Amino acid sequence: MFKISLFFVMFMVSSNTFALKQEPASSAPSGVNVYIISPVDGATVSPTFTVRFGLSGMGIAPAGIDRDKTAHHHLLIDTKVLPDLTKPLQATDKVRHFGGGQTETEITLKPGKHTLQLLLGNYAHVPHDKPLMSKKITVIVK
């Protein structure tokens, strides 16, 4: 019984240490361009529309795959303040994750003016040490 208890305590300590580990930011090559292909800035769109992501100078890899010069997209919707760029991005209604390596998505927004922006994250959803972001665009949902 003592051996089982000791094993359990050791497992809990090592698990907590792992959980506290902070994933580091990755560095990105120079010349990377992140952009929204469509819709274009100022476009009027239906409540449900497709957003196509663009990236040059780097590749796309799913979250969890630690491959040099790759990342995956996060779509920021109506963000006035950026999330903490030194920590893994938390999925919310304003921060959408595309950890499967997706390069487009269909979203539904309420009528009105909205902003969209792409932010790349490494294999652990952490933005790069020099964050790679698209220009923020505005769309009008009719």
Side-chain angles (χ1 to χ4, degrees), residues 27-99:
S27 49
S30 61
V32 174
N33 187 21
V34 183
Y35 53 97
I36 295 174
I37 297 169
S38 66
V40 296
D41 190 26
T44 299
V45 297
S46 300
T48 298
F49 61 99
T50 300
V51 181
R52 290 188 174 84
F53 314 151
L55 175 63
S56 64
M58 264 180 99
I60 296 290
I65 305 295
D66 187 7
R67 191 171 293 147
D68 194 35
K69 298 180 184 172
T70 65
H72 66 276
H73 291 287
H74 297 84
L75 180 62
L76 308 180
I77 302 170
D78 295 331
T79 54
K80 292 184 176 151
V81 176
L82 288 172
D84 185 342
L85 300 177
T86 64
K87 296 183 177 166
L89 298 166
Q90 298 298 310
T92 68
D93 60 330
K94 294 187 178 280
V95 179
R96 308 259 178 104
H97 287 246
F98 298 95

Side-chain angles (χ1 to χ4, degrees), residues 88-122:
L89 298 166
Q90 298 298 310
T92 68
D93 60 330
K94 294 187 178 280
V95 179
R96 308 259 178 104
H97 287 246
F98 298 95
Q102 303 94 316
T103 57
E104 68 177 49
T105 189
E106 189 172 88
I107 63 173
T108 301
L109 297 174
K110 293 180 180 179
K113 189 184 270 190
H114 298 277
T115 61
L116 305 173
Q117 185 174 29
L118 292 172
L119 173 60
L120 291 182
N122 69 8

